[in-house]
Amino acid sequence: MTTPALLPLSGRRIPTLSPGASSFPHHRATLRLSEKFILLLILSAFITLCFGAFFFLPDNSKHKRFDLGLEDVLIPHIDSPKEGKHASGQVVIHGQGGHDEHRHREEEESLRDKIRADHERALQEAKEKLRKSREELQAEIQTEKNKVMEDLKKKDAGPKPLPPVPMPKVVSVSDGEPPEPDAKEKRDKIREMMKHAWDSYRQYGWGHNELKPLAKKGHSTNIFGNSQLGATIVDALDTLYIMGLHEEFKDGQEWIDQNLDFGVNAEVSVFEVNIRFIGGLLAAYYLSGQEVFKLKAVQLAEKLLPAFNTPTGIPWAMVNLKSGVGRNWGWASAGSSILAEFGTLHMEFVHLTYLTGNPAYYQKVMHIRKLLAKMDRPNGLYPNYLNPRTGRWGQHHTSVGGLGDSFYEYLLKAWLMSDKTDTEARKTYDDAIEAIERHLIRKSNGGLTFIGEWKNGHLERKMGHLACFAGGMFALGADGSPDDKAGHYLQLGAEIAHTCHESYDRTVLKLGPEAFKFDSGLEAVAVRQNEKYYILRPEVIETYWYMWRFTHDPKYRQWGWEAAQAIDKYCRVSGGFSGVKDVYSSNPTYDDVQQSFFLAETLKYLYLLFSSDDLMPFESWVFNTEAHPLPVLHLGNITLPGSEPAQR
């Protein structure tokens, strides 16, 4: 997960009326209009039309003014190679001769004819009205009244319900009970850690986005603007459900139903809100079947759509939920959008189209894919920055860690989520991974496989904690890889898992740093002080879980348990869990933030690591980059609106 929003379906609540009160009190006076008054209205309309026809039909004395209007209105739309523009924006035509004057006269006469015809038609309609009998007029008035009443009833009926869709077969929590007593004991401990994190947030930060566990108060970051959107509640819902913490889940659902409002004046990260909120709400809906989660997800998605209003269709990084105004991060390569942000929308947006029948979501993400497919890629690599105004790459920096990571993950998962019918996504993933392996993956002198970062034609021998997710990605993508390379990619995943474990094992706290280097005799060790922190990140544990599922090698459970113990020992405080500033110090200081992704990802992956494989099986579920499970769409011959028929 990379770290650095719809008109509400429910709309405003309709005020309830006391028993016996009319549903339309403000229309009663209209309904009591006398027939005489109606006839007077029609007569006055007739007189007005006659006067208008007399007044507006042009005569010769008005030709000059009329010609000026024609020039202003018509000439800018004439397709002429001689058209030019002054700095003021006023259109001027060069080299007009007799032919142009003749053409203008014809256009002027044509416009006059059209005005005459419109007025004659209006006069004729008025005459016909006056010829009608009283009964016919009464019938017409009643028809209009009925139409108004029907329209108002539709408004009062509230939003149109979303279409019903087939729900996936949800595996009950008991199905994940591990047969080994030792694994069950460890799983219970992970559940207890989750309960401590949730209860602390419930007590000290309820409704805030995150928690400051030492200060014991709410916390938020600029990715959520100045809003209190309860990010931890939404992010934690599916973890609570999977762990069987149903009372806690119910508390979260109640808060969302009553308090989660996206009509706030807040500028939020499109990417973070998509993966945490939309992903979290969709997962909670698919797991529990509670409609409120689907409705809230769609409300929020509508709020994010204005972010795509750019010259290229590549979305802005941030959007104001109230105004719809978007912009990019100031630090991102001359106003560029970020690959991992605009490339990590596909899973959620495809499900939004599936649930609503609205093709807009699917079309937005497919447009991004098509645009990227047309672009030149240096050495086959995707740079991390793309300017949404020009459609050109920013600086040539490529990373499988921060700024790039989940773009590649979503290419693979788009294929998996489509029941392996989205072969275009799979081919794009395979090509990207081939380029990454050729240019970014190296072996250190000590034999550790790592993924470096490409910067301006040079490989930086540094790997970020975020890039450690790639071990799990390689394993997940092994089956289906070209040229019988499944074994190769599973082995590559194992090597990355080993390297990332070493980055943990070589610290005092047995927790991994934010980034670690492979040069000057130092391997898998952080050098700079600002890279020595651990903020409860999940990526290494995520890879352990995927590798466990595919190999059942006991070392992955062992490594996961080491990490869980270290987190419980060094990050646990009385008010929750906190990140630490230096993993190489025996007396760590805290950053005093309990990240929402700790509950969404880190604890969920640990819990699944010690569960049996029938809990959230891969053939039924695909996890988004925030660890929110979305079901595989077994669409068969059905195609999403606006999509091409699936190819198997």
Side-chain angles (χ1 to χ4, degrees), residues 373-391:
K374 294 175 185 173
M375 296 185 66
D376 291 330
R377 294 180 293 281
N379 295 321
L381 298 170
Y382 290 85
N384 289 338
Y385 300 106
L386 180 61
N387 192 302
R389 290 190 177 92
T390 65

Side-chain angles (χ1 to χ4, degrees), residues 446-648:
L448 296 177
T449 301
F450 67 94
I451 310 173
E453 297 189 8
W454 191 265
K455 287 189 175 178
N456 300 315
H458 159 79
L459 183 70
E460 189 174 9
R461 296 170 67 85
K462 179 177 83 171
M463 186 171 177
H465 192 291
L466 288 161
C468 285
F469 92 97
M473 179 178 72
F474 293 144
L476 185 62
D479 185 23
S481 56
D483 306 322
D484 298 322
K485 292 175 81 172
H488 167 74
Y489 283 114
L490 193 61
Q491 177 60 30
L492 181 59
E495 291 175 15
I496 297 296
H498 173 66
T499 298
C500 293
H501 174 255
E502 286 298 308
S503 78
Y504 273 52
D505 204 44
R506 298 179 186 195
T507 70
V508 172
L509 304 185
K510 304 303 178 187
L511 292 170
E514 182 69 4
F516 40 95
K517 296 212 168 182
F518 295 87
D519 54 15
S520 306
L522 292 172
E523 298 197 352
V525 173
V527 177
R528 298 178 180 174
Q529 188 60 42
N530 64 358
E531 295 174 342
K532 294 181 178 181
Y533 61 86
Y534 173 71
I535 57 171
L536 307 170
R537 286 205 188 275
E539 290 78 20
V540 174
I541 294 164
E542 175 182 355
T543 279
Y544 293 165
W545 175 56
Y546 279 109
M547 293 307 305
W548 164 257
R549 277 279 176 104
F550 288 113
T551 68
H552 286 139
D553 186 328
K555 73 182 178 188
Y556 296 115
R557 276 186 166 172
Q558 178 192 332
W559 291 352
W561 183 240
E562 288 172 6
Q565 287 180 301
I567 291 168
D568 199 50
K569 182 175 181 180
Y570 295 111
C571 300
R572 185 174 185 140
V573 295
S574 64
F577 289 86
S578 169
V580 292
K581 294 182 179 178
D582 188 347
V583 293
Y584 300 97
S585 168
S586 55
N587 295 306
T589 54
Y590 298 106
D591 66 11
D592 197 18
V593 180
Q594 180 175 281
Q595 306 278 350
S596 80
F597 57 69
F598 177 65
L599 293 82
E601 300 185 74
T602 311
L603 293 173
K604 184 186 286 127
Y605 286 134
L606 280 168
Y607 187 81
L608 290 169
L609 178 61
F610 295 102
S611 298
S612 62
D613 294 357
D614 58 358
L615 181 59
M616 314 305 295
F618 287 157
E619 58 267 23
S620 301
W621 299 92
V622 183
F623 287 72
N624 86 339
T625 197
E626 189 80 356
H628 295 308
L630 299 175
V632 171
L633 295 175
H634 300 287
L635 297 175
N637 294 323
I638 302 169
T639 56
L640 291 165
S643 71
E644 298 297 322
Q647 300 293 319
R648 283 189 179 271

Side-chain angles (χ1 to χ4, degrees), residues 52-190:
F54 172 78
F55 182 79
F56 286 108
L57 281 175
D59 60 24
N60 290 334
S61 67
K62 295 176 182 171
H63 281 186
K64 285 185 181 176
R65 184 179 300 171
F66 194 72
D67 289 345
L68 180 63
L70 275 173
E71 213 168 57
D72 288 343
V73 175
L74 294 175
I75 289 175
H77 300 287
I78 295 169
D79 186 12
S80 168
K82 298 176 183 176
E83 192 171 301
K85 225 175 199 188
H86 287 306
S88 65
Q90 180 184 357
V91 176
V92 294
I93 308 294
H94 302 293
Q96 295 180 49
H99 177 72
D100 286 344
E101 289 173 11
H102 177 68
R103 183 184 59 196
H104 289 167
R105 280 197 297 273
E106 287 180 350
E107 288 164 350
E108 180 182 330
E109 192 59 40
S110 172
L111 188 56
R112 286 198 193 98
D113 290 343
K114 184 178 183 303
I115 292 170
R116 283 195 192 95
D118 288 344
H119 282 294
E120 284 172 8
R121 187 165 55 251
L123 287 168
Q124 188 60 34
E125 287 175 2
K127 287 176 185 175
E128 288 173 4
K129 288 273 185 195
L130 291 172
R131 288 194 198 108
K132 289 183 179 179
S133 67
R134 177 194 286 184
E135 290 74 18
E136 288 174 318
L137 286 171
Q138 284 178 329
E140 283 191 8
I141 292 167
Q142 189 60 46
T143 301
E144 286 301 315
K145 282 159 49 175
N146 292 341
K147 185 176 181 298
V148 170
M149 292 174 71
E150 282 300 315
D151 289 344
L152 286 165
K153 280 180 183 175
K154 284 177 185 174
K155 280 186 182 177
D156 283 358
K160 183 181 175 183
L162 297 176
V165 296
M167 292 293 286
K169 181 179 179 293
V170 178
V171 180
S172 67
V173 173
S174 61
D175 291 339
E177 193 78 13
E180 311 88 348
D182 179 56
K184 183 182 183 308
E185 186 180 326
K186 289 170 179 171
R187 191 172 88 141
D188 289 343
K189 173 60 181 175
I190 305 302

Side-chain angles (χ1 to χ4, degrees), residues 171-401:
V171 180
S172 67
V173 173
S174 61
D175 291 339
E177 193 78 13
E180 311 88 348
D182 179 56
K184 183 182 183 308
E185 186 180 326
K186 289 170 179 171
R187 191 172 88 141
D188 289 343
K189 173 60 181 175
I190 305 302
R191 186 193 283 114
E192 184 277 327
M193 291 170 68
M194 177 68 183
K195 193 153 173 25
H196 177 62
W198 174 264
D199 288 347
S200 298
Y201 169 79
R202 181 76 175 83
Q203 184 173 355
Y204 304 117
W206 193 241
H208 290 267
N209 288 316
E210 291 172 318
L211 170 68
K212 294 177 79 67
L214 271 74
K216 296 183 177 178
K217 63 181 184 180
H219 169 75
S220 192
T221 63
N222 63 342
I223 60 174
F224 304 121
N226 57 356
S227 61
Q228 291 186 27
L229 295 173
T232 294
I233 299 173
V234 180
D235 233 0
L237 278 172
D238 52 7
T239 307
L240 294 169
Y241 195 93
I242 289 167
M243 290 184 177
L245 298 170
H246 292 302
E247 283 302 312
E248 291 80 357
F249 179 88
K250 188 178 175 185
D251 283 347
Q253 177 181 339
E254 190 175 297
W255 186 91
I256 285 168
D257 188 24
Q258 296 176 6
N259 299 287
L260 187 55
D261 175 21
F262 302 119
V264 292
N265 184 19
E267 191 178 52
V268 301
S269 162
V270 173
F271 160 73
E272 296 285 356
V273 165
N274 176 62
I275 64 171
R276 301 193 200 205
F277 282 82
I278 294 181
L281 289 165
L282 291 177
Y285 167 67
Y286 281 120
L287 287 168
S288 70
Q290 297 297 311
E291 287 284 318
V292 61
F293 300 127
K294 179 169 73 170
L295 291 170
K296 293 287 185 181
V298 176
Q299 287 176 11
L300 177 55
E302 294 264 346
K303 293 284 191 183
L304 294 186
L305 286 179
F308 293 82
N309 295 336
T310 66
T312 59
I314 297 292
W316 299 114
M318 292 174 288
V319 70
N320 186 294
L321 293 177
K322 195 177 189 76
S323 69
V325 174
R327 69 179 179 94
N328 275 342
W329 302 107
W331 51 264
S333 186
S336 290
S337 298
I338 297 165
L339 183 69
E341 297 196 341
F342 65 77
T344 311
L345 303 166
H346 189 97
M347 289 180 67
E348 297 81 4
F349 274 47
V350 167
H351 270 278
L352 287 166
T353 285
Y354 172 67
L355 289 170
T356 66
N358 181 356
Y361 305 106
Y362 179 82
Q363 289 165 351
K364 297 289 187 195
V365 291
M366 289 306 292
H367 174 79
I368 293 171
R369 186 193 290 181
K370 289 184 172 84
L371 187 146
L372 290 175
K374 294 175 185 173
M375 296 185 66
D376 291 330
R377 294 180 293 281
N379 295 321
L381 298 170
Y382 290 85
N384 289 338
Y385 300 106
L386 180 61
N387 192 302
R389 290 190 177 92
T390 65
R392 297 192 183 99
W393 296 118
Q395 65 189 82
H396 286 187
H397 172 207
T398 298
S399 169
V400 183

